[in-house]
Amino acid sequence: MSESEATLPDRRSTYHHGDLRERLLEVVRDLVETHGPEGFSVAEAARRAGVSTAAPYKHFKDRTDLLNALVSDAMDRLAGQMAAERDRYPVGTYEAVAGIGQAYIDFAKTEPGIFRLMFGLTEGHEDEDALQQKGNLCREIVETACGACIGAEATDQAAVLSAYILWTSVHGHAFLSIDKKNKAEADGLKDWHFLMTVTRAVLDASARR
């Protein structure tokens, strides 16, 4: 062992109980972005975090539990970004609705691996009430903004259906963008132009109904 190696602190001794959980999530986030959700093991995450292979199981039941925790964290961040972008514009405007979509697309482009995991993870996902509630929160952000735009409550059928149509449109655009599909069309249509176009079309149609 070299002198420099001998002076390095043992990383296992530097983690407090709560810190290790966050460190493992950080490591797994990087692994998912690099190798995809199937491209790592809990043992690999532990090695990269500098802890024993048994240490992660003090915080997570298994690999699925770890991935669910990663998705939970991501959904919190996505909801926060959607709300922040919405709040940049006056309530009840097309821009406020489009801003939500911009945050969604930006998240997908910034963290494509995590984005795919959020919407591709199925094992144990449907049984996690907390994850379902966080998904509902994201949906309610869209429904509330749509309702404000057409003069309806967030729970009104027109607001709910408008939100669903917009969400699926933006979701598809986000996936096509990060998967480099329809690249010529995507490059020729800026995200904001796309968002304002579909927002106007959907909400105007909803208002007419």
Side-chain angles (χ1 to χ4, degrees):
M1 178 184 296
S2 68
E3 182 178 348
S4 61
E5 289 174 326
T7 59
L8 287 173
D10 182 351
R11 293 178 68 186
R12 295 179 221 189
S13 67
T14 65
Y15 288 117
H16 295 292
H17 183 71
D19 296 337
L20 176 55
R21 185 181 188 279
E22 295 308 312
R23 174 58 183 159
L24 285 166
L25 289 175
E26 178 186 339
V27 165
V28 174
R29 187 180 301 122
D30 289 342
L31 287 169
V32 167
E33 288 297 340
T34 304
H35 304 293
E38 302 303 325
F40 79 96
S41 64
V42 176
E44 170 69 2
R47 186 187 68 78
R48 293 203 179 199
V51 297
S52 71
T53 54
Y57 296 103
K58 296 178 181 178
H59 301 276
F60 307 102
K61 291 183 295 184
D62 50 29
R63 190 175 183 280
T64 298
D65 190 38
L66 199 163
L67 288 174
N68 282 342
L70 192 63
V71 168
S72 178
D73 173 72
M75 293 180 79
D76 286 339
R77 289 184 290 111
L78 176 59
Q81 291 168 26
M82 289 166 65
E85 197 66 22
R86 173 203 61 196
D87 292 344
R88 292 183 58 212
Y89 305 98
V91 175
T93 61
Y94 292 134
E95 287 80 4
V97 177
I100 296 170
Q102 187 67 66
Y104 194 85
I105 293 169
D106 289 344
F107 188 98
K109 290 182 175 180
T110 302
E111 302 184 50
I114 299 300
F115 187 77
R116 290 188 181 95
L117 175 64
M118 292 166 70
F119 296 101
L121 181 65
T122 56
E123 184 181 355
H125 196 174
E126 69 283 355
D127 298 325
E128 291 288 332
D129 290 340
L131 290 183
Q132 297 298 324
Q133 290 171 9
K134 291 181 180 186
N136 290 341
L137 173 60
C138 288
R139 190 185 70 247
E140 287 165 7
I141 290 172
V142 186
E143 291 171 349
T144 300
C146 286
C149 216
I150 61 175
E153 296 294 327
T155 55
D156 187 272
Q157 186 182 32
V160 171
L161 290 179
S162 295
Y164 176 78
I165 295 168
L166 284 170
W167 190 306
T168 54
S169 297
V170 174
H171 185 75
H173 177 74
F175 261 109
L176 287 170
S177 296
I178 63 177
D179 287 339
K180 309 299 181 186
K181 304 291 176 61
N182 292 30
K183 192 173 189 311
E185 293 88 341
D187 288 345
L189 181 64
K190 300 302 181 185
D191 290 337
W192 188 252
H193 182 201
F194 164 79
L195 289 164
M196 288 298 291
T197 299
V198 296
T199 296
R200 284 194 182 99
V202 171
L203 293 179
D204 283 353
S206 180
R208 286 196 297 271
R209 284 200 302 270

PDB file of all heavy atoms in Angstrom, residues 68-82:
ATOM      1  N   ASN A  68     -37.492   1.192  -5.887  1.00  0.00           N
ATOM      2  CA  ASN A  68     -38.700   1.925  -5.529  1.00  0.00           C
ATOM      3  C   ASN A  68     -38.359   3.216  -4.788  1.00  0.00           C
ATOM      4  O   ASN A  68     -38.999   4.260  -5.004  1.00  0.00           O
ATOM      5  CB  ASN A  68     -39.617   1.061  -4.664  1.00  0.00           C
ATOM      6  CG  ASN A  68     -40.396   0.043  -5.468  1.00  0.00           C
ATOM      7  OD1 ASN A  68     -40.524   0.169  -6.683  1.00  0.00           O
ATOM      8  ND2 ASN A  68     -40.917  -0.970  -4.807  1.00  0.00           N
ATOM      9  N   ALA A  69     -37.365   3.159  -3.924  1.00  0.00           N
ATOM     10  CA  ALA A  69     -36.933   4.358  -3.199  1.00  0.00           C
ATOM     11  C   ALA A  69     -36.357   5.390  -4.165  1.00  0.00           C
ATOM     12  O   ALA A  69     -36.569   6.600  -4.011  1.00  0.00           O
ATOM     13  CB  ALA A  69     -35.898   3.992  -2.146  1.00  0.00           C
ATOM     14  N   LEU A  70     -35.645   4.914  -5.165  1.00  0.00           N
ATOM     15  CA  LEU A  70     -35.079   5.807  -6.172  1.00  0.00           C
ATOM     16  C   LEU A  70     -36.197   6.487  -6.964  1.00  0.00           C
ATOM     17  O   LEU A  70     -36.149   7.693  -7.243  1.00  0.00           O
ATOM     18  CB  LEU A  70     -34.172   5.016  -7.114  1.00  0.00           C
ATOM     19  CG  LEU A  70     -33.270   5.818  -8.048  1.00  0.00           C
ATOM     20  CD1 LEU A  70     -32.282   6.655  -7.268  1.00  0.00           C
ATOM     21  CD2 LEU A  70     -32.531   4.882  -8.996  1.00  0.00           C
ATOM     22  N   VAL A  71     -37.228   5.718  -7.330  1.00  0.00           N
ATOM     23  CA  VAL A  71     -38.371   6.269  -8.047  1.00  0.00           C
ATOM     24  C   VAL A  71     -39.122   7.267  -7.171  1.00  0.00           C
ATOM     25  O   VAL A  71     -39.546   8.331  -7.635  1.00  0.00           O
ATOM     26  CB  VAL A  71     -39.310   5.142  -8.506  1.00  0.00           C
ATOM     27  CG1 VAL A  71     -40.641   5.701  -8.997  1.00  0.00           C
ATOM     28  CG2 VAL A  71     -38.657   4.325  -9.607  1.00  0.00           C
ATOM     29  N   SER A  72     -39.277   6.950  -5.902  1.00  0.00           N
ATOM     30  CA  SER A  72     -39.972   7.849  -4.982  1.00  0.00           C
ATOM     31  C   SER A  72     -39.273   9.197  -4.914  1.00  0.00           C
ATOM     32  O   SER A  72     -39.909  10.263  -4.985  1.00  0.00           O
ATOM     33  CB  SER A  72     -40.030   7.210  -3.591  1.00  0.00           C
ATOM     34  OG  SER A  72     -40.655   8.075  -2.664  1.00  0.00           O
ATOM     35  N   ASP A  73     -37.957   9.163  -4.788  1.00  0.00           N
ATOM     36  CA  ASP A  73     -37.172  10.401  -4.760  1.00  0.00           C
ATOM     37  C   ASP A  73     -37.331  11.170  -6.072  1.00  0.00           C
ATOM     38  O   ASP A  73     -37.491  12.394  -6.080  1.00  0.00           O
ATOM     39  CB  ASP A  73     -35.701  10.058  -4.513  1.00  0.00           C
ATOM     40  CG  ASP A  73     -34.796  11.263  -4.636  1.00  0.00           C
ATOM     41  OD1 ASP A  73     -34.823  12.125  -3.746  1.00  0.00           O
ATOM     42  OD2 ASP A  73     -34.046  11.362  -5.641  1.00  0.00           O
ATOM     43  N   ALA A  74     -37.298  10.457  -7.185  1.00  0.00           N
ATOM     44  CA  ALA A  74     -37.418  11.097  -8.494  1.00  0.00           C
ATOM     45  C   ALA A  74     -38.793  11.744  -8.676  1.00  0.00           C
ATOM     46  O   ALA A  74     -38.905  12.842  -9.239  1.00  0.00           O
ATOM     47  CB  ALA A  74     -37.169  10.077  -9.601  1.00  0.00           C
ATOM     48  N   MET A  75     -39.828  11.099  -8.182  1.00  0.00           N
ATOM     49  CA  MET A  75     -41.173  11.651  -8.325  1.00  0.00           C
ATOM     50  C   MET A  75     -41.348  12.912  -7.490  1.00  0.00           C
ATOM     51  O   MET A  75     -42.044  13.855  -7.898  1.00  0.00           O
ATOM     52  CB  MET A  75     -42.214  10.588  -7.966  1.00  0.00           C
ATOM     53  CG  MET A  75     -42.238   9.434  -8.948  1.00  0.00           C
ATOM     54  SD  MET A  75     -43.459   8.159  -8.577  1.00  0.00           S
ATOM     55  CE  MET A  75     -44.945   8.925  -9.183  1.00  0.00           C
ATOM     56  N   ASP A  76     -40.695  12.951  -6.344  1.00  0.00           N
ATOM     57  CA  ASP A  76     -40.710  14.178  -5.536  1.00  0.00           C
ATOM     58  C   ASP A  76     -40.067  15.323  -6.302  1.00  0.00           C
ATOM     59  O   ASP A  76     -40.583  16.448  -6.336  1.00  0.00           O
ATOM     60  CB  ASP A  76     -39.957  13.964  -4.215  1.00  0.00           C
ATOM     61  CG  ASP A  76     -40.734  13.125  -3.221  1.00  0.00           C
ATOM     62  OD1 ASP A  76     -41.976  13.035  -3.346  1.00  0.00           O
ATOM     63  OD2 ASP A  76     -40.103  12.561  -2.314  1.00  0.00           O
ATOM     64  N   ARG A  77     -38.920  15.034  -6.915  1.00  0.00           N
ATOM     65  CA  ARG A  77     -38.219  16.073  -7.650  1.00  0.00           C
ATOM     66  C   ARG A  77     -39.001  16.511  -8.884  1.00  0.00           C
ATOM     67  O   ARG A  77     -39.071  17.702  -9.200  1.00  0.00           O
ATOM     68  CB  ARG A  77     -36.820  15.581  -8.043  1.00  0.00           C
ATOM     69  CG  ARG A  77     -35.885  15.460  -6.854  1.00  0.00           C
ATOM     70  CD  ARG A  77     -34.476  15.082  -7.219  1.00  0.00           C
ATOM     71  NE  ARG A  77     -34.357  13.713  -7.681  1.00  0.00           N
ATOM     72  CZ  ARG A  77     -34.080  13.350  -8.921  1.00  0.00           C
ATOM     73  NH1 ARG A  77     -33.881  14.259  -9.856  1.00  0.00           N
ATOM     74  NH2 ARG A  77     -33.978  12.069  -9.252  1.00  0.00           N
ATOM     75  N   LEU A  78     -39.612  15.547  -9.577  1.00  0.00           N
ATOM     76  CA  LEU A  78     -40.403  15.875 -10.760  1.00  0.00           C
ATOM     77  C   LEU A  78     -41.590  16.758 -10.387  1.00  0.00           C
ATOM     78  O   LEU A  78     -41.854  17.775 -11.047  1.00  0.00           O
ATOM     79  CB  LEU A  78     -40.887  14.599 -11.443  1.00  0.00           C
ATOM     80  CG  LEU A  78     -41.820  14.797 -12.646  1.00  0.00           C
ATOM     81  CD1 LEU A  78     -41.142  15.615 -13.738  1.00  0.00           C
ATOM     82  CD2 LEU A  78     -42.273  13.446 -13.195  1.00  0.00           C
ATOM     83  N   ALA A  79     -42.305  16.400  -9.339  1.00  0.00           N
ATOM     84  CA  ALA A  79     -43.457  17.201  -8.910  1.00  0.00           C
ATOM     85  C   ALA A  79     -43.031  18.615  -8.546  1.00  0.00           C
ATOM     86  O   ALA A  79     -43.705  19.597  -8.899  1.00  0.00           O
ATOM     87  CB  ALA A  79     -44.155  16.527  -7.724  1.00  0.00           C
ATOM     88  N   GLY A  80     -41.909  18.730  -7.841  1.00  0.00           N
ATOM     89  CA  GLY A  80     -41.409  20.051  -7.465  1.00  0.00           C
ATOM     90  C   GLY A  80     -41.059  20.895  -8.670  1.00  0.00           C
ATOM     91  O   GLY A  80     -41.365  22.100  -8.727  1.00  0.00           O
ATOM     92  N   GLN A  81     -40.436  20.279  -9.655  1.00  0.00           N
ATOM     93  CA  GLN A  81     -40.056  21.011 -10.870  1.00  0.00           C
ATOM     94  C   GLN A  81     -41.275  21.395 -11.695  1.00  0.00           C
ATOM     95  O   GLN A  81     -41.333  22.487 -12.269  1.00  0.00           O
ATOM     96  CB  GLN A  81     -39.075  20.166 -11.685  1.00  0.00           C
ATOM     97  CG  GLN A  81     -37.717  20.006 -11.014  1.00  0.00           C
ATOM     98  CD  GLN A  81     -36.848  18.951 -11.660  1.00  0.00           C
ATOM     99  OE1 GLN A  81     -36.983  18.643 -12.848  1.00  0.00           O
ATOM    100  NE2 GLN A  81     -35.944  18.359 -10.882  1.00  0.00           N
ATOM    101  N   MET A  82     -42.260  20.519 -11.757  1.00  0.00           N
ATOM    102  CA  MET A  82     -43.496  20.826 -12.493  1.00  0.00           C
ATOM    103  C   MET A  82     -44.207  22.016 -11.854  1.00  0.00           C
ATOM    104  O   MET A  82     -44.657  22.940 -12.549  1.00  0.00           O
ATOM    105  CB  MET A  82     -44.411  19.600 -12.516  1.00  0.00           C
ATOM    106  CG  MET A  82     -43.912  18.462 -13.398  1.00  0.00           C
ATOM    107  SD  MET A  82     -44.779  16.886 -13.099  1.00  0.00           S
ATOM    108  CE  MET A  82     -46.452  17.270 -13.625  1.00  0.00           C
TER     109      MET A  82
END
